[in-house]
Amino acid sequence: MQHLTKLTVELTNLCNLDCAYCLKVSAAQHLDYALLLQVLQDAKECGADRITFTGGEISLYPHLGETLRLTEQLGYQFALITNGWHFPRLVPHLTATRSALHMVSLSIDAADAEAHDQVRGKGSFQKLMSAVSLCRLQRFPFSFQMVVTSHNRHDMEKVAVLGARLGAQRVRFSHLLPTSMSLDAELSLSPHLRQAVEIEAAQLNEILKMEVSFSASRYNPGPEPPCDVLHGSTIDINCYGEMTLCCQLSDFRHAGQAPEVAANLHQVRFPEAYQHFLQLVSEQNDRRTAALRQNQPEAEFPCHYCLSCFGKTTWQPNPNSLQSGGSPS
Amino acid sequence: MTGSYSIHPSVIHTEIDDSMVLLHLTTKRYYTINSTGVVIWKSLLKQKSVPEIVAVLLAEYDASEERLQGAVISFLEKLERAELVQRQ
Ligand code: SF4
Ligand code: SF4
């Protein structure tokens, strides 16, 4: 088990867009700023030195400027994930904290306006390209991240080439984590196709000078922890002030339960919450190892397996669900 | 020259402070233009002709009409060579 190195912080779940496949609960909630200040200090003392700020849309967080300044003062490096719509608002904050800025990660769904806007709404692609222009002008390192679905899987190469030609540092693909039966049926790839698009990403990585990679959602049949979270080195703080196992499970749309919550930081001090988190990590690693030993194919896609274990895919038969199998202590 | 120009449909402009960055989505090239260029670009957005653009600049800058016309034409020709605008 590694030690704590990184936080993922959901500053808000408010968003100006309404992507069909969004994981996040739609009722708006901002992370309590006083709690955030405490968390940033506590996590630093526990050894963390990197933060990824996520949403919702981070530019809608009312305390973003102060948050980024404090992040820099405390000696963190930070990345942020944004849809780019309000990027001009972010520019002064990012310029002021440039020395701590590791990456601006921009969400993209296709390499052309028509297909991208079909997911994210009219005008989104133009806003995204404006954000790219500003990153380039200000010399902010930027990357693209794209959720691969049945609709856009043939666009992977175009998106990677677009990123490379625009000067992105990286294009990272990930698999769709479905939030409803209809989305699952319409957009998810079969396990076979998931592996095919991962091969496509690996080939693009070979061809292009820019890094092309796949997130931890990729096929991984090995028993070793598949991600930083399950190594115990990355924790998630959600917009309710809870420490949770993973940002991909937390605040999950249509999920009736939240066994991924390690502790509410309004009530439990950070070091103690981290111990609860490590307990969740250890249990999930054990569960996955056992499932792999039993040749459960679902466990070979670690993020899908987590969704199943933590009760997020309620429409699927769920032998792994903690609800039916007992909740973590 | 009294013609007019239109902005290439593949160009995205983003204003920041008193300058502007242009991104041509077909060539994937970026260009930065200064404050005078921004005035000209905004005039193109309003579909103004070259004489109309010169008139806009005359109202803002203390320079002769002849000099401004030369500057506008030279700037538009540069934009045209970069395929950022099209002559109509
Ligand atoms: S931009 Fe991101 S947070 Fe906003 S609706 Fe789309 S997927 Fe959700
Ligand atoms: S969902 Fe599970 S496997 Fe995927 S990144 Fe999170 S903890 Fe790791």
Side-chain angles (χ1 to χ4, degrees):
Chain A
M1 191 79 67
Q2 294 175 359
H3 60 88
L4 179 63
T5 57
K6 188 176 152 193
L7 310 180
T8 305
V9 178
E10 183 192 15
L11 293 174
T12 178
N13 63 4
L14 185 63
C15 188
N16 53 306
L17 302 185
D18 187 20
C19 309
Y21 63 64
C22 183
L23 299 180
K24 296 300 170 185
V25 169
S26 45
Q29 173 76 38
H30 297 312
L31 177 57
D32 180 333
Y33 182 58
L35 181 75
L36 174 59
L37 296 186
Q38 191 60 51
V39 164
L40 293 185
Q41 281 160 4
D42 290 346
K44 190 75 195 166
E45 281 166 25
C46 287
D49 61 4
R50 285 177 293 148
I51 307 180
T52 299
F53 292 110
T54 74
E57 169 49 41
I58 48 132
S59 58
L60 302 179
Y61 185 56
H63 305 285
L64 185 69
E66 304 100 287
T67 301
L68 297 184
R69 279 196 294 279
L70 181 70
T71 300
E72 185 190 42
Q73 280 161 19
L74 288 172
Y76 286 103
Q77 289 283 298
F78 70 89
L80 41 86
I81 300 171
T82 171
N83 60 41
W85 190 279
H86 292 302
F87 201 75
R89 280 188 204 176
L90 296 179
V91 170
H93 301 313
L94 297 180
T95 308
T97 55
R98 180 187 294 279
S99 69
L101 174 62
H102 171 64
M103 189 70 78
V104 175
S105 188
L106 295 158
S107 308
I108 188 166
D109 285 282
D112 65 274
E114 196 185 340
H116 178 88
D117 289 2
Q118 219 160 36
V119 179
R120 292 182 182 257
K122 196 166 163 30
S124 298
F125 190 77
Q126 183 144 357
K127 295 281 190 187
L128 177 67
M129 290 300 120
S130 279
V132 166
S133 302
L134 291 175
C135 285
R136 188 68 180 197
L137 183 72
Q138 303 288 340
R139 301 191 188 286
F140 299 149
F142 72 95
S143 63
F144 285 151
Q145 59 171 36
M146 175 170 133
V147 173
V148 182
T149 68
S150 59
H151 288 181
N152 66 7
R153 72 187 170 94
H154 296 299
D155 253 10
M156 289 173 65
E157 180 180 329
K158 284 189 201 148
V159 168
V161 170
L162 179 69
R165 291 197 58 186
L166 292 177
Q169 308 262 316
R170 179 180 76 204
V171 171
R172 176 160 293 169
F173 297 106
S174 60
H175 292 304
L176 174 82
L177 300 180
T179 55
S180 72
M181 182 157 64
S182 55
L183 278 178
D184 199 10
E186 189 190 342
L187 297 177
S188 284
L189 300 182
S190 67
H192 172 73
L193 279 179
R194 279 185 229 148
Q195 288 188 58
V197 299
E198 291 171 22
I199 291 168
E200 165 92 2
Q203 286 172 344
L204 288 167
N205 187 53
E206 290 288 312
I207 295 164
L208 297 172
K209 284 187 184 152
M210 175 199 68
E211 178 192 331
V212 179
S213 57
F214 228 95
S215 76
S217 58
R218 68 182 174 275
Y219 175 75
N220 185 343
E224 68 286 351
C227 60
D228 292 346
V229 172
L230 293 179
H231 273 288
S233 59
T234 298
I235 57 164
D236 174 60
I237 311 297
N238 70 15
C239 60
Y240 307 100
E242 295 166 333
M243 185 186 291
T244 86
L245 182 69
C246 179
C247 60
Q248 308 220 78
L249 305 169
S250 167
D251 196 22
F252 200 91
R253 197 173 284 220
H254 303 143
Q257 50 178 333
E260 72 283 357
V261 174
N264 183 340
L265 291 168
H266 288 285
Q267 291 154 6
V268 178
R269 286 181 50 76
F270 189 95
E272 192 188 332
Y274 183 55
Q275 294 310 312
H276 291 298
F277 163 84
L278 290 177
Q279 178 68 25
L280 287 179
V281 166
S282 159
E283 287 166 0
Q284 182 60 9
N285 281 327
D286 290 349
R287 215 174 279 126
R288 183 166 171 274
T289 306
L292 287 170
R293 264 201 221 111
Q294 291 161 18
N295 295 320
Q296 285 185 32
E298 203 182 14
E300 294 173 345
F301 287 96
C303 295
H304 287 82
Y305 184 66
C306 276
L307 287 198
S308 166
C309 292
F310 287 85
K312 308 306 178 192
T313 47
T314 47
W315 63 95
Q316 291 176 347
N318 240 343
N320 311 305
S321 170
L322 296 174
Q323 192 139 60
S324 53
S327 62
S329 54
Chain B
M1 181 197 291
T2 54
S4 43
Y5 289 78
S6 63
I7 291 169
H8 192 290
S10 293
V11 177
I12 287 181
H13 63 270
T14 308
E15 201 174 353
I16 179 122
D17 301 328
D18 58 356
S19 63
M20 194 179 260
V21 52
L22 307 176
L23 168 57
H24 197 307
L25 283 176
T26 309
T27 64
K28 315 286 188 296
R29 286 176 161 244
Y30 299 92
Y31 304 84
T32 313
I33 53 180
N34 65 15
S35 54
T36 314
V38 173
V39 174
I40 298 173
W41 191 265
K42 286 184 171 172
S43 300
L44 291 172
L45 285 170
K46 292 180 192 154
Q47 282 144 20
K48 289 192 187 294
S49 64
V50 172
E52 286 170 329
I53 296 172
V54 172
V56 171
L57 288 177
L58 260 177
E60 287 200 28
Y61 294 91
D62 184 18
S64 69
E65 181 171 354
E66 193 184 19
R67 206 169 140 220
L68 287 174
Q69 176 160 321
V72 168
I73 290 169
S74 153
F75 182 70
L76 288 170
E77 283 174 351
K78 272 191 206 155
L79 293 179
E80 190 184 14
R81 278 197 295 278
E83 299 178 63
L84 294 163
V85 298
Q86 298 164 326
R87 203 186 291 240
Q88 289 186 319

